[in-house]
Amino acid sequence: MAVRLIAGRAGSGKTHWCQGQICEALASSLVEGPRLIMLVPEQAALQMERGLLAMSPARTLGRCEVLSFRRLAHRILNESAGPTPAILSPTGRQMALRHLIARHRKSLREFAGVADRGGTVAAVARTITELLQECASPDRLEAEGKAALAEQDPSGPRLHDIALLYRAYLDYLGSQRVDPEGVLDLARSRLE
């Protein structure tokens, strides 16, 4: 299978060209031939499907699918062998973090006093999401927190709390659950 990269500045017609190539392939046969997949960012999937339907003479996508990266990952997980851990939703992440904050409240230095305020759990969830996206290790975060506390840096207590909650969250996930940010990594590990 060949990969062809289409590069150019914004507005130069890359998307239109890709849609045209798909419509051309669909014109020869809607069902015969290899499956066509247009891989797009999450927010562009619906817009791309509409664009393809508008360009296609048959007004159907047939053997073509428009997939986002997450949707492709879910497809890989569904078709691969082996147990699939439960995939948390972003709301599930917040619920788990609320539980973990309550469980570790006595060990928290900065978040203990504000844990009940609106937005605290959401802010911690956003931070955890960024740490997962950047593949940050809890050990490194703990080391930075200890160094900041030793230097009496004002960010020390916050780093301590984030490191504690991050490790607790990863332990909570274990092998039975996957964070929404880990779906792509899990799918990649299932590919041959």
Side-chain angles (χ1 to χ4, degrees), residues 17 59 85 91 116 129 144 147 155 157 168-169 171-172 175 186 192:
W17 185 86
R59 299 286 190 246
T91 304
D116 295 329
T129 299
E144 294 296 329
S155 66
Y169 181 67
D171 291 343
Y172 168 79
S175 62
L186 181 62
E192 296 176 4

Side-chain angles (χ1 to χ4, degrees), residues 87-106:
I87 300 170
L88 290 181
S89 66
T91 304
R93 179 193 303 132
Q94 285 190 9
M95 291 172 65
L97 287 170
R98 183 177 304 279
H99 169 73
L100 293 171
I101 288 171
R103 178 188 290 173
H104 296 284
R105 189 177 210 130
K106 292 180 181 175

Side-chain angles (χ1 to χ4, degrees), residues 69-88:
F69 291 96
R70 286 190 195 281
R71 188 80 180 124
L72 178 63
H74 284 279
R75 179 77 49 88
I76 291 167
L77 293 175
N78 287 337
E79 293 179 8
S80 66
T84 300
I87 300 170
L88 290 181

Side-chain angles (χ1 to χ4, degrees), residues 155-178:
S155 66
R158 181 169 292 195
L159 282 171
H160 168 271
D161 290 359
I162 292 295
L164 179 99
L165 292 172
Y166 186 41
R167 183 173 298 282
Y169 181 67
L170 293 177
D171 291 343
Y172 168 79
L173 291 176
S175 62
Q176 271 70 41
R177 299 174 196 89
V178 173

